[in-house]
Amino acid sequence: MIRHAILLSFVLCSLFTSCGEKESCAADSRPKIYNPNGDSELALLMRDMFDEGMRVKEEVATGKRPLPAWDADAIFTAHATQPEKVATPEFKAYAQSFLEAARAMEEASPEDYKSTYQGMVKTCIACHQEVCPGPIVKINKMLLDESESL
Ligand code: HEC
């Protein structure tokens, strides 16, 4: 009987993925349950920012100015898989600090290219720690190796 109860709770757990940190923000998330009609605008924007971020990382590593071609301001208007997650003052504050870090990076002088790039990536991670932990493993790939002098 107890064994059945345990088994049942596992089954229920995997049906309702809210156990743990999965939800639509699971690593490399393809929102299935919440978003059967395809990926949200915000998810597409984020994926784009990751791809651009990896390109910019290569450039920064070779001493070039970090100039991402992304529409970062859309972070405030893009539709999210879970709109309630982005309709909070916390989300807006994290989004603002990300935009400011991105601007500081784009306007940095050459000796600060690497440190401002690194700072920008950390603002991606800060928001994710709060609202969407799944993709952090992926975003970590954007970080420069801290053992090099930044
Ligand atoms: C202000 C908060 C915030 C900031 C800043 C932020 N993200 Fe996100 N990110 C989210 C939210 C919320 C989602 C979930 C989007 C959805 O499913 O609609 C997400 C989703 C993602 C995803 C998963 C997309 C997919 O395939 O479903 C990746 C990858 C990602 N972000 C990377 C980044 C990168 C890289 C940066 C910085 C350049 C960044 N994020 C900055 C909140 C943020």
Side-chain angles (χ1 to χ4, degrees):
M1 192 55 204
I2 290 173
R3 217 181 301 156
H4 278 125
I6 293 171
L7 198 67
L8 186 68
S9 64
F10 271 121
V11 172
L12 287 177
C13 222
S14 52
L15 282 178
F16 303 103
T17 48
S18 54
C19 300
E21 295 170 339
K22 293 285 187 247
E23 304 189 33
S24 66
C25 288
D28 202 10
S29 69
R30 300 284 143 105
K32 291 185 187 83
I33 299 170
Y34 293 97
N35 192 12
N37 303 318
D39 299 310
S40 71
E41 281 173 23
L42 189 63
L44 295 175
L45 172 70
M46 291 286 162
R47 232 172 282 164
D48 197 45
M49 294 206 300
F50 175 77
D51 293 343
E52 261 306 283
M54 291 304 284
R55 188 187 64 76
V56 167
K57 179 187 179 183
E58 298 291 308
E59 297 204 338
V60 171
T62 60
K64 289 200 198 123
R65 172 179 289 279
L67 279 181
W70 59 33
D71 184 14
D73 289 314
I75 197 169
F76 285 118
T77 50
H79 280 284
T81 310
Q82 294 167 279
E84 69 281 5
K85 276 203 171 178
V86 303
T88 64
E90 287 77 23
F91 179 87
K92 293 195 176 83
Y94 281 114
Q96 196 60 47
S97 86
F98 161 67
L99 290 177
E100 276 161 26
R103 203 170 309 129
M105 172 185 82
E106 289 170 32
E107 292 167 359
S109 35
E111 67 273 19
D112 297 326
Y113 286 170
K114 286 185 181 173
S115 60
T116 52
Y117 168 83
Q118 193 81 336
M120 179 280 296
V121 180
K122 287 180 178 168
T123 65
C124 302
I125 296 169
C127 182
H128 276 265
Q129 274 165 345
E130 208 55 44
V131 303
C132 183
I136 291 176
V137 180
K138 190 171 169 180
I139 301 172
N140 279 339
K141 295 189 195 131
M142 275 170 66
L143 287 170
L144 294 166
D145 187 349
E146 299 253 0
S147 63
E148 291 170 38
S149 59
L150 295 180

